[in-house]
């Protein structure tokens, strides 16, 4: 079936695979979730927080505002509606 942006849905296939469990290594690692960094582990390594959600919400807000400014039933409004639908996907 089609999505609101006009694209078709994708299909994923699940395969059953036997996986052997790993032997315990004895190493302990602590992870701390932080505001400034995404995470920090007990070895002192910090992982950057890329803030994907904030960027995508900002883009959605901008595209919805552009959609509200278009004249109803116009070709440009239909094109903008597809852009908003892609932001929601």
């Amino acid at each position: 079936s089609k999505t609101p942006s006009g694209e078709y849905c994708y299909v994923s296939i699940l395969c059953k695979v036997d996986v052997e469990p790993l032997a315990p290594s004895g190493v302990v690692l602590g992870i701390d979730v932080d505001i400034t960094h995404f995470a920090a582990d007990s070895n002192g390594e910090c992982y950057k927080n890329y803030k994907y959600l904030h960027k995508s919400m900002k883009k959605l807000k901008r595209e919805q505002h552009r959609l509200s400014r278009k004249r109803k039933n116009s070709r440009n409004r239909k094109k903008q509606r597809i852009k908003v639908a892609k932001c929601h996907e």
Side-chain angles (χ1 to χ4, degrees):
S1 67
K2 278 187 169 182
T3 59
S5 64
E7 297 178 0
Y8 287 97
C9 296
Y10 296 99
V11 176
S12 64
I13 299 173
L14 178 65
C15 298
K16 197 171 205 179
V17 179
D18 295 328
V19 179
E20 297 179 17
L22 296 173
S25 63
V27 177
V28 178
L29 180 69
I31 299 176
D32 180 34
V33 179
D34 196 7
I35 294 174
T36 56
H37 303 290
F38 177 70
D41 59 12
S42 57
N43 294 336
E45 190 171 345
C46 294
Y47 301 96
K48 188 175 180 182
N49 187 2
Y50 289 102
K51 300 180 182 179
Y52 293 115
L53 179 64
H54 180 70
K55 290 178 184 178
S56 62
M57 294 298 286
K58 190 175 178 181
K59 182 178 179 184
L60 176 63
K61 180 181 174 183
R62 181 174 56 242
E63 296 297 337
Q64 283 180 330
H65 181 72
R66 287 178 182 167
L67 176 65
S68 70
R69 303 296 298 161
K70 302 293 181 194
R71 184 176 293 163
K72 294 204 175 178
N73 297 324
S74 67
R75 184 174 291 258
N76 286 331
R77 184 179 175 90
K78 290 176 185 176
K79 289 190 282 188
Q80 189 63 34
R81 185 195 58 81
I82 291 172
K83 288 181 183 178
V84 171
K86 285 184 181 181
C87 288
H88 279 288
E89 290 179 357

